[in-house]
Amino acid sequence: MNIFKSFLICTVFSCIGAEIQILINPVNLPENEPPGTELSRAYDKDVAGRPNAYRFLNKSKDFVIDANSGVITSTKIFNYETDPTRFLLIVDTGGMMRRVLTINIIDVPEPPDCTIDPLFSSGSATFEIAEDYPLFQAICKVNVTDEDIAHGDRLTYNIETELSGPKRGANSFGVDPVNGVVSLRGEDILDFDAGYHSFQLSVRVTDTAGLFCQGTIIINIININDETPQFEPFPMDSINVTEKKPIGDFVARVKATDRDEDSTVMYSFKTQQEMFALDPYTGIITVLQPLNLDNPHNSRIYHLEIEARDDGNNTSSYMFTVFVENVDDPISCDPSFSTGTGISVSVPENIPSSAFIYAILSRDPDVGQEVELFQLAIAVRNRDSLSLESCVGTITINIQNVNDESPVLIYRPEAPININENLPVGTKLAKFMATDRDIEDTVHYEFIGTQKEFAINEDIGEVTVAYPLDYEDDTIPKSWVLYVRVYDNERTHSTTGTLTVILQDVNDNPPRCSQEVYVIELPENIPVDTTLVSLTCADQDGTIPNNNITYHLIKNTFANKTFTLTNSELKIGPMNLDYDSTIFAGMDFKHTLFVRVSDEGIPVLSTIIRIILRVSRINEHNPAGSMMEFTFSIFENSPSDTLVGKITFIDEDWPFNNIHYSIVGGNFGIPPTFYIEPDTGMIKLLSSLDREVTSQYKIAVRVIDMGNDVLPDPLRQRSATAQVTINVLNVNDEPPVCTPPHVETQIYATFRGPIIPLRCSDKDSPQDHLSYSITEGNTNNQFILWREGAESPFLATRQDFQYDLLEGVQDVVTFQLLIEVTDELGRNTARQLTATTTVIIHVLPWTTTQPTSSTHTATTTITTSVLRKISYYWRPDSWFSAVLTLAGVLFMMGLYAVAWCLFKDVQVCSRLFPHCHRQKSQPSLTVQDGKDAEQVLSDRNAVSTEQPDKGMKRNFFQREIF
């Protein structure tokens, strides 16, 4: 029967209207779609082909629906960042059914906008910095906007090209990939004097979707006076002048150049000089005092140290040696001998041979030179004084040279010479100077023994570097004592000298490490103090401090407290690695660290070690909510898809809040009562509610993080469980119900007090929220509703019930009272529901019965007992009448057929059995003398106690006899 009933209901509703179908619902519309984009289509078979059949109940200027075809299109280009992101449109076709279309605006990645800074985007953003600008200090910041930043988009900055001019090839600048700050990175230092006057940087800004914009920054370098003058050295760091140089004559010109632009160099002696003068502007050196070597106070060698100073007070000095060369002066004799008539000496004729005649006094003004040739003019005269005979002749006495002199060293370095290991081959170290007093005899120089590191010029005695020197080469000594032999042409005579050379270590080797680039990958939960890398570095320089190594970690602000460098060990700490950071995501989840390994020499040499640490993510955080128990409320008449509440959990693992929600308990039923959106945590109503059946639901929601490991691993997913209590709020949707809906009773006219209780109830409201009132049939207000406490009221007569008006009346007076029951007492009247019950009261006149056959007067006794007779009857539903009638007819026909079969042969009954069944009349209800009315009524109660069938609706009729 229920199936038949359901069939009838479905048939009726199918005739009311068909459901509107929407081709795509919900619609996800990208924000950059042009106007007129077809989004979906509505279809209703009942209106198919009709004109103007489709429309939106809620008007929208952003979307239109074609009235004839039901095609839904957009009217503009949407912006996800400024326009609403969700639209609900009600589609109506004129019938009873409507449909809600949901349109979601989907965010589309948009490229960054560089035009916020027109100078940057047009390539005319210009900045100026000095060439000594410090490293890692901000120069400018690239300003770029991206509308997608509000929705988690991140920008990455990088320099695409870097051009320098007029000299090309410098790589000096960098940009922070996260905040776009441009600064010096130190790969190539700024040097205006080297030709790096201007830099042009092309900066590209890229978002997470790979979209980018690009601009240009021009950085001009300001020259500062930071260079020291550099001297052009003399050959062999020495010059030669003759002792005959007159005062004021030009000796030499020193020249120093300064790389700084437009810089003037001034010259001065570092120590006061008496023999030479120096022009401070030109650097010309002139003779100030005679250099005559015949003066014993004058020196053959002068050491001059000249200082050059530029406009920036930068100085440098240069020391060189001035050698004064001797000039051969003529021999001078005694003036009395060499002038006039000379000297006349008389000697006796018998003067013996070899006798002393005269000493010619002569000298050579040159120190160390002797007279080698004497020429005598001799006059011979007769002894006779009278004789004038004489002869004059010239005797020339030649002195022949004999190689009897040894070479003499006139100059050799007395102190040891300290030389640097990086001197190039051919560098002059010292010069030996020797002489041989023998005429036409020359001196030659050679080393005693074999010396591969040094060479000496055979003719001039210059000692030079002959082999590359390296202090760190164990095969090369650190000092030498060079023995130099000076010999004459025939190697007849020789002399020796020594030269001590000490090799000095130069800081010419930067530290070298076993590895220059480290690429490491570690999980983010690695413990603090874990060694990241242990550097193995060494400096090949042989002495301290050139081979002392120090380590310095160059780190950015983000990694400031994440890494610690102790000596050569780089460790994690004092803070842990953290993969879960927006800034770190912009760094491609890697740390790029630079360790500068430096020595302590002069100049300081260093090596940069690059360490790239890739951090892998670990699912280390459980989903967490502000609370673990949520309580929501919803009205019981809420439609499906109504939002009940939203559970909000966060997950601190990257990607942030990638959480999946699911109901795991308490959501029973088919279909279940509630469902939860797995991405948003919004709990919505799925089926209808009835507070009168269930007033509270307790469900369990499991929150699971998703995609927080490098490789998806369901076993490592973390979860949390939230308990959700949903209270169903009452809505007054059930009217009061009175049982039975009709009551009929009798009272005597003299009765006062409660007559009958009203049995009414409401599934939505307690008894004390029901109000009762007599709305019709209460003539002269003879009846009232008497209520005690919160219980149901009684229908009662008033205390001043005017039965006198009815006294003596022999007819029964009937009151038909209509009583209205209203719920929501004292609440919202707009939601109140009412029901009525009808009470029929027969008021019987008060009479005394006298017997006709006896003169005995019978005393009327008024009983205080109330006899109640309840007559039950059933009233079938309207649809059941036809079925019941048909079943009754079939039953009677079957019964007649059975009787015909049984009694067709009985003679006393005719074929149609007209006299086989007789009805007995029921006795009338009369009150006889001597019988109590209570006995009569009890008999009737016995007759009317039959119960109707279960499942049928029952109404009862109640009569009361007093």
Side-chain angles (χ1 to χ4, degrees), residues 402-450:
V402 177
N403 188 2
D404 58 348
E405 298 288 340
S406 297
V408 176
L409 281 171
I410 61 176
Y411 175 77
R412 63 181 177 182
E414 298 293 339
I417 298 176
N418 296 314
I419 64 172
N420 294 332
E421 61 173 324
N422 60 349
L423 289 179
V425 173
T427 300
K428 174 186 173 182
L429 302 182
K431 182 177 181 180
F432 284 82
M433 298 180 66
T435 185
D436 192 334
R437 298 179 62 185
D438 292 321
I439 297 174
E440 296 181 354
D441 202 1
T442 59
V443 295
H444 303 279
Y445 305 87
E446 66 178 2
F447 285 132
I448 299 175
T450 303

Coordinates of all heavy atoms in Angstrom, one line a residue, residues 402-450:
V402 N 154.4 46.1 -16.2 CA 154.6 44.7 -15.8 C 153.4 44.3 -15.0 O 152.9 45.0 -14.1 CB 155.9 44.5 -14.9 CG1 156.0 43.1 -14.5 CG2 157.1 44.9 -15.7
N403 N 152.8 43.1 -15.3 CA 151.5 42.6 -14.6 C 151.9 42.1 -13.3 O 152.1 40.9 -13.0 CB 150.9 41.5 -15.5 CG 149.5 41.1 -14.9 OD1 149.1 41.7 -13.9 ND2 148.9 40.1 -15.5
D404 N 152.0 43.1 -12.4 CA 152.4 42.8 -11.0 C 151.4 43.2 -10.0 O 151.6 43.2 -8.8 CB 153.7 43.5 -10.7 CG 153.7 45.0 -10.9 OD1 152.7 45.4 -11.5 OD2 154.6 45.6 -10.4
E405 N 150.2 43.6 -10.5 CA 149.1 44.1 -9.6 C 148.0 43.1 -9.6 O 147.6 42.6 -10.7 CB 148.7 45.5 -10.0 CG 149.7 46.6 -9.9 CD 150.1 46.9 -8.5 OE1 149.3 46.6 -7.6 OE2 151.2 47.5 -8.3
S406 N 147.4 42.9 -8.5 CA 146.1 42.1 -8.4 C 144.9 43.0 -8.5 O 144.9 44.2 -8.1 CB 146.1 41.3 -7.0 OG 147.2 40.4 -7.0
P407 N 143.8 42.5 -9.0 CA 142.6 43.2 -9.0 C 142.2 43.6 -7.6 O 142.4 42.9 -6.6 CB 141.6 42.3 -9.6 CG 142.4 41.3 -10.4 CD 143.7 41.2 -9.6
V408 N 141.6 44.8 -7.5 CA 141.2 45.3 -6.2 C 139.7 45.6 -6.3 O 139.2 46.3 -7.2 CB 142.0 46.6 -5.8 CG1 141.4 47.1 -4.5 CG2 143.4 46.3 -5.7
L409 N 138.9 45.0 -5.3 CA 137.5 45.3 -5.2 C 137.3 46.6 -4.6 O 137.7 46.9 -3.5 CB 136.8 44.2 -4.4 CG 136.5 42.9 -5.1 CD1 136.0 41.9 -4.1 CD2 135.4 43.1 -6.2
I410 N 136.7 47.5 -5.4 CA 136.5 48.9 -4.9 C 135.0 49.0 -4.3 O 134.7 49.9 -3.6 CB 136.7 49.9 -5.9 CG1 135.8 49.7 -7.1 CG2 138.2 49.9 -6.4 CD1 136.0 50.8 -8.2
Y411 N 134.1 48.1 -4.7 CA 132.7 48.1 -4.2 C 132.2 46.7 -4.2 O 132.3 45.9 -5.2 CB 131.8 49.0 -4.9 CG 130.4 48.9 -4.4 CD1 130.0 49.6 -3.2 CD2 129.4 48.2 -5.1 CE1 128.8 49.5 -2.8 CE2 128.1 48.1 -4.6 CZ 127.8 48.7 -3.4 OH 126.5 48.6 -2.9
R412 N 131.7 46.3 -3.0 CA 130.9 45.1 -2.9 C 129.9 45.3 -1.8 O 130.1 46.0 -0.8 CB 131.8 43.9 -2.6 CG 132.6 44.0 -1.3 CD 133.4 42.9 -1.1 NE 134.2 43.0 0.2 CZ 135.1 42.1 0.6 NH1 135.3 41.0 -0.2 NH2 135.7 42.3 1.7
P413 N 128.7 44.6 -1.9 CA 127.7 44.7 -0.8 C 128.2 44.1 0.5 O 128.8 43.0 0.5 CB 126.5 43.9 -1.4 CG 126.8 43.8 -2.8 CD 128.2 43.8 -3.0
E414 N 128.2 45.0 1.5 CA 128.7 44.5 2.8 C 127.6 43.7 3.5 O 127.9 42.7 4.1 CB 129.1 45.7 3.6 CG 130.3 46.5 3.0 CD 131.6 45.7 2.9 OE1 131.7 44.7 3.7 OE2 132.5 46.0 2.1
A415 N 126.4 44.3 3.5 CA 125.3 43.6 4.3 C 124.6 42.6 3.4 O 124.6 42.6 2.2 CB 124.2 44.7 4.7
P416 N 124.0 41.6 4.1 CA 123.3 40.6 3.3 C 122.1 41.2 2.5 O 121.5 42.2 3.0 CB 122.8 39.6 4.3 CG 123.6 39.8 5.5 CD 124.0 41.2 5.5
I417 N 121.8 40.7 1.4 CA 120.7 41.2 0.5 C 119.5 40.3 0.7 O 119.6 39.0 0.6 CB 121.1 41.2 -0.9 CG1 122.3 42.2 -1.1 CG2 120.0 41.6 -1.8 CD1 122.8 42.2 -2.6
N418 N 118.4 40.9 1.1 CA 117.1 40.2 1.2 C 116.3 40.3 -0.1 O 116.0 41.5 -0.5 CB 116.3 40.7 2.4 CG 117.0 40.4 3.7 OD1 117.5 39.3 4.0 ND2 117.0 41.4 4.6
I419 N 116.0 39.2 -0.7 CA 115.3 39.3 -1.9 C 113.9 38.5 -1.7 O 113.9 37.6 -1.0 CB 116.1 38.7 -3.1 CG1 116.4 37.2 -2.9 CG2 117.3 39.5 -3.3 CD1 117.0 36.5 -4.0
N420 N 112.9 39.0 -2.5 CA 111.6 38.3 -2.5 C 111.6 37.2 -3.4 O 112.3 37.2 -4.5 CB 110.5 39.3 -2.8 CG 110.3 40.3 -1.7 OD1 110.6 40.1 -0.6 ND2 109.9 41.5 -2.1
E421 N 110.8 36.2 -3.1 CA 110.8 35.0 -3.9 C 110.2 35.2 -5.3 O 110.4 34.4 -6.2 CB 110.1 33.8 -3.2 CG 108.6 34.2 -2.9 CD 107.8 33.0 -2.4 OE1 108.1 31.9 -2.8 OE2 107.0 33.2 -1.5
N422 N 109.4 36.3 -5.4 CA 108.7 36.5 -6.7 C 109.5 37.4 -7.7 O 108.9 37.9 -8.6 CB 107.3 37.1 -6.4 CG 107.4 38.4 -5.7 OD1 108.4 38.8 -5.2 ND2 106.2 39.1 -5.6
L423 N 110.8 37.6 -7.4 CA 111.5 38.4 -8.4 C 111.6 37.7 -9.7 O 111.9 36.5 -9.8 CB 112.9 38.7 -7.8 CG 113.0 39.6 -6.6 CD1 114.5 39.8 -6.2 CD2 112.5 41.0 -6.9
P424 N 111.4 38.4 -10.8 CA 111.5 37.8 -12.1 C 113.0 37.5 -12.4 O 113.9 38.1 -11.9 CB 110.9 38.8 -13.0 CG 111.1 40.1 -12.3 CD 111.0 39.8 -10.9
V425 N 113.1 36.5 -13.3 CA 114.5 36.2 -13.8 C 115.1 37.4 -14.5 O 114.4 38.1 -15.3 CB 114.4 35.0 -14.8 CG1 115.8 34.7 -15.4 CG2 113.9 33.8 -14.0
G426 N 116.4 37.7 -14.2 CA 117.0 38.8 -14.8 C 117.1 40.0 -13.9 O 117.7 41.1 -14.3
T427 N 116.4 40.0 -12.8 CA 116.4 41.1 -11.9 C 117.8 41.3 -11.3 O 118.4 40.3 -10.8 CB 115.4 40.9 -10.7 OG1 114.1 40.7 -11.3 CG2 115.4 42.0 -9.8
K428 N 118.3 42.6 -11.3 CA 119.6 42.9 -10.7 C 119.5 42.9 -9.2 O 118.7 43.5 -8.6 CB 120.0 44.2 -11.2 CG 121.3 44.7 -10.6 CD 121.7 46.1 -11.0 CE 122.9 46.7 -10.3 NZ 123.1 48.1 -10.6
L429 N 120.5 42.2 -8.6 CA 120.6 42.1 -7.2 C 121.7 43.0 -6.6 O 121.5 43.7 -5.6 CB 120.8 40.7 -6.7 CG 119.8 39.6 -7.1 CD1 120.1 38.3 -6.6 CD2 118.4 40.1 -6.7
A430 N 122.9 42.9 -7.2 CA 124.0 43.7 -6.7 C 125.0 43.9 -7.9 O 124.9 43.2 -8.9 CB 124.6 43.1 -5.5
K431 N 126.0 44.7 -7.6 CA 127.1 44.9 -8.6 C 128.4 45.0 -7.9 O 128.6 45.8 -7.0 CB 126.8 46.2 -9.4 CG 127.8 46.4 -10.5 CD 127.5 47.7 -11.3 CE 128.5 47.9 -12.5 NZ 128.2 49.1 -13.3
F432 N 129.3 44.1 -8.3 CA 130.7 44.2 -7.9 C 131.5 45.1 -8.8 O 131.3 45.1 -10.0 CB 131.3 42.8 -7.9 CG 130.8 41.9 -6.8 CD1 129.6 41.2 -6.8 CD2 131.6 41.8 -5.6 CE1 129.2 40.4 -5.8 CE2 131.2 40.9 -4.6 CZ 130.0 40.3 -4.7
M433 N 132.3 45.9 -8.1 CA 133.2 46.9 -8.9 C 134.6 46.6 -8.5 O 134.9 46.7 -7.3 CB 132.8 48.3 -8.7 CG 131.3 48.6 -9.1 SD 130.9 50.3 -8.8 CE 132.0 51.2 -9.9
A434 N 135.5 46.3 -9.4 CA 136.9 46.1 -9.2 C 137.8 46.8 -10.2 O 137.3 47.2 -11.3 CB 137.2 44.6 -9.2
T435 N 139.0 47.0 -9.8 CA 140.0 47.6 -10.8 C 141.3 46.9 -10.7 O 141.6 46.2 -9.7 CB 140.2 49.1 -10.4 OG1 141.0 49.7 -11.4 CG2 140.8 49.3 -9.0
D436 N 142.1 47.1 -11.8 CA 143.5 46.5 -11.8 C 144.4 47.6 -12.2 O 144.2 48.2 -13.2 CB 143.5 45.3 -12.9 CG 144.8 44.5 -12.7 OD1 145.8 45.0 -12.3 OD2 144.7 43.3 -13.1
R437 N 145.4 47.8 -11.4 CA 146.3 48.9 -11.6 C 147.2 48.7 -12.8 O 147.9 49.6 -13.3 CB 147.2 49.2 -10.3 CG 146.3 49.6 -9.1 CD 147.1 49.8 -7.9 NE 148.1 50.9 -8.1 CZ 149.0 51.2 -7.2 NH1 149.1 50.5 -6.1 NH2 149.9 52.2 -7.4
D438 N 147.3 47.5 -13.2 CA 148.1 47.2 -14.4 C 147.4 47.8 -15.6 O 146.2 47.7 -15.8 CB 148.3 45.7 -14.6 CG 149.1 45.1 -13.6 OD1 150.1 45.7 -13.2 OD2 148.7 44.0 -13.1
I439 N 148.3 48.6 -16.4 CA 147.8 49.2 -17.6 C 147.3 48.2 -18.6 O 147.9 47.1 -18.8 CB 148.8 50.2 -18.2 CG1 149.2 51.3 -17.2 CG2 148.4 50.8 -19.5 CD1 150.4 52.1 -17.7
E440 N 146.2 48.5 -19.2 CA 145.6 47.7 -20.3 C 145.2 46.3 -19.8 O 145.1 45.4 -20.5 CB 146.6 47.6 -21.5 CG 146.8 48.9 -22.2 CD 147.7 48.7 -23.4 OE1 148.2 47.5 -23.6 OE2 148.0 49.6 -24.1
D441 N 145.1 46.2 -18.5 CA 144.6 45.0 -17.9 C 143.2 45.2 -17.4 O 142.9 46.2 -16.7 CB 145.5 44.5 -16.8 CG 145.4 43.0 -16.5 OD1 144.6 42.4 -17.2 OD2 146.1 42.6 -15.6
T442 N 142.2 44.3 -17.8 CA 140.8 44.4 -17.4 C 140.5 43.3 -16.4 O 141.2 42.3 -16.4 CB 139.9 44.2 -18.7 OG1 140.2 43.0 -19.3 CG2 140.1 45.4 -19.6
V443 N 139.4 43.5 -15.7 CA 139.0 42.6 -14.7 C 137.8 41.8 -15.2 O 137.0 42.3 -16.0 CB 138.7 43.2 -13.4 CG1 140.0 43.8 -12.8 CG2 137.7 44.3 -13.5
H444 N 137.6 40.6 -14.7 CA 136.5 39.7 -15.0 C 136.0 39.1 -13.7 O 136.7 39.0 -12.8 CB 136.9 38.7 -16.0 CG 137.5 39.2 -17.3 ND1 136.7 39.7 -18.4 CD2 138.8 39.4 -17.7 CE1 137.5 40.1 -19.3 NE2 138.8 39.9 -18.9
Y445 N 134.6 38.7 -13.8 CA 134.0 38.3 -12.6 C 133.4 36.9 -12.9 O 132.9 36.6 -14.0 CB 132.8 39.2 -12.2 CG 133.2 40.7 -12.1 CD1 133.3 41.5 -13.2 CD2 133.6 41.2 -10.8 CE1 133.6 42.8 -13.0 CE2 134.0 42.5 -10.7 CZ 134.0 43.3 -11.8 OH 134.4 44.6 -11.6
E446 N 133.4 36.1 -11.8 CA 132.8 34.7 -11.9 C 132.5 34.2 -10.5 O 133.1 34.7 -9.5 CB 133.7 33.8 -12.7 CG 135.0 33.4 -11.9 CD 135.8 32.4 -12.6 OE1 135.4 32.0 -13.8 OE2 136.9 32.1 -12.1
F447 N 131.5 33.3 -10.5 CA 131.2 32.6 -9.2 C 132.2 31.5 -9.0 O 132.6 30.8 -10.0 CB 129.8 32.1 -9.2 CG 128.7 33.1 -9.1 CD1 127.6 33.1 -9.9 CD2 128.8 34.1 -8.1 CE1 126.6 34.1 -9.8 CE2 127.8 35.0 -7.9 CZ 126.7 35.0 -8.8
I448 N 132.5 31.3 -7.8 CA 133.3 30.2 -7.4 C 132.3 29.1 -7.1 O 131.5 29.1 -6.1 CB 134.2 30.5 -6.2 CG1 135.2 31.6 -6.5 CG2 135.0 29.2 -5.8 CD1 136.0 32.0 -5.3
G449 N 132.3 28.1 -7.9 CA 131.3 27.0 -7.7 C 130.1 27.3 -8.7 O 130.0 28.2 -9.4
T450 N 129.2 26.3 -8.7 CA 128.0 26.4 -9.6 C 126.8 26.9 -8.8 O 126.5 26.5 -7.7 CB 127.7 25.0 -10.1 OG1 128.8 24.4 -10.8 CG2 126.5 25.0 -11.1

